[in-house]
Amino acid sequence: SQQGEEDPQALSIQEGENATMNCSYKTSINNLQWYRQNSGRGLVHLILIRSNEREKHSGRLRVTLDTSKKSSSLLITASRAADTASYFCATLNFGNEKLTFGTGTRLTIIP
Amino acid sequence: KAGVTQTPRYLIKTRGQQVTLSCSPISGHRSVSWYQQTPGQGLQFLFEYFSETQRNKGNFPGRFSGRQFSNSRSEMNVSTLELGDSALYLCASSLEGVRYGYTFGSGTRLTVV
């Protein structure tokens, strides 16, 4: 079963613009992680935010977490063609050691 | 350092056969997890091994099994293959567990015909 739902399912923007993806989840979490997947390949870990954190930055990435709304967002600034990929949020719940992935957002950057 | 290595990259099997997939984690990583990815169900957790012991298991039938060796390498086995088992199987490793994030391999694409 999937814990997270991502919105939008697909997003196309011009190179240089900012891209924002949202993730909602259902139960209390220990942390939330974002991953990127290039077509048909493995996932790459981007950033992790703990339940007691509200915002984190890593290079051109900014992640926010609102535990009261059970939602997170990933912002990619100054997008590049190489950012074209699917992006997944994944939640780690208390008491277990498995990540539950969302449905993903397919991001296309138009050169 | 070398990443997570999965072999083979592609596999075609016939219904009813069995298959074994292999995963070599990053050196020093003791936790190995397996995921199945399909267009319909997305990424689904299969199981996690830590120091040769299965620590977590997802909701898959008993046809799906795995093991981990003393060098942390892991294998997963699917017996009596069904068409619905066609998927990308991803292995991920971490130092102690998923708490700090995974490093994924490139996956094994299994097609059942």
Side-chain angles (χ1 to χ4, degrees):
Chain A
S1 63
Q2 307 211 295
Q3 157 84 302
E5 292 289 332
E6 278 149 275
D7 171 56
Q9 289 189 331
L11 178 62
S12 291
I13 60 173
Q14 295 290 135
E15 193 168 17
E17 292 181 338
N18 296 342
T20 299
M21 289 157 267
N22 302 297
C23 167
S24 59
Y25 56 91
K26 298 172 186 167
T27 59
S28 295
I29 60 170
N30 178 302
N31 69 49
L32 185 145
Q33 303 175 25
W34 285 89
Y35 288 81
R36 183 186 75 229
Q37 184 179 36
N38 291 90
S39 181
R41 299 191 64 84
L43 284 78
V44 174
H45 182 261
L46 296 176
I47 196 165
L48 180 154
I49 187 165
R50 293 184 171 78
S51 60
N52 61 353
E53 297 175 313
R54 292 297 165 257
E55 187 171 311
K56 278 190 87 168
H57 297 256
S58 177
R60 295 184 296 114
L61 306 180
R62 186 185 81 145
V63 169
T64 61
L65 178 65
D66 186 335
T67 52
S68 67
K69 294 182 180 177
K70 292 187 170 59
S71 68
S72 174
S73 68
L74 171 68
L75 168 67
I76 303 174
T77 60
S79 63
R80 305 167 182 169
D83 295 328
T84 293
S86 291
Y87 291 81
F88 295 88
C89 69
T91 54
L92 178 67
N93 298 332
F94 289 102
N96 67 52
E97 288 290 327
K98 65 174 187 175
L99 278 184
T100 305
F101 282 84
T103 50
T105 292
R106 175 70 193 163
L107 175 65
T108 302
I109 308 299
I110 303 164
Chain B
K1 57 184 177 182
V4 178
T5 303
Q6 290 190 246
T7 56
R9 283 296 316 277
Y10 301 93
L11 207 47
I12 300 175
K13 290 286 189 178
T14 304
R15 264 185 307 176
Q17 287 187 314
Q18 77 165 21
V19 67
T20 299
L21 311 181
S22 179
C23 171
S24 293
I26 289 174
S27 178
H29 283 194
R30 296 190 292 167
S31 169
V32 174
S33 295
W34 289 88
Y35 283 80
Q36 179 197 66
Q37 186 177 28
T38 59
Q41 298 297 315
L43 283 149
Q44 301 284 321
F45 173 77
L46 282 155
F47 26 66
E48 185 220 4
Y49 286 87
F50 184 84
S51 294
E52 302 179 67
T53 301
Q54 187 180 83
R55 192 158 66 170
N56 277 288
K57 189 176 188 306
N59 298 322
F60 278 80
R63 300 185 297 106
F64 292 81
S65 63
R67 59 178 175 168
Q68 186 180 33
F69 302 95
S70 58
N71 61 359
S72 291
R73 190 177 72 85
S74 177
E75 289 181 347
M76 68 162 280
N77 184 277
V78 188
S79 62
T80 320
L81 284 165
E82 301 176 357
L83 295 179
D85 297 333
S86 294
L88 180 66
Y89 289 88
L90 293 162
C91 166
S93 77
S94 61
L95 199 57
E96 293 286 337
V98 73
R99 200 160 296 273
Y100 304 101
Y102 283 137
T103 301
F104 278 84
S106 296
T108 293
R109 172 77 61 185
L110 172 66
T111 303
V112 182
V113 298

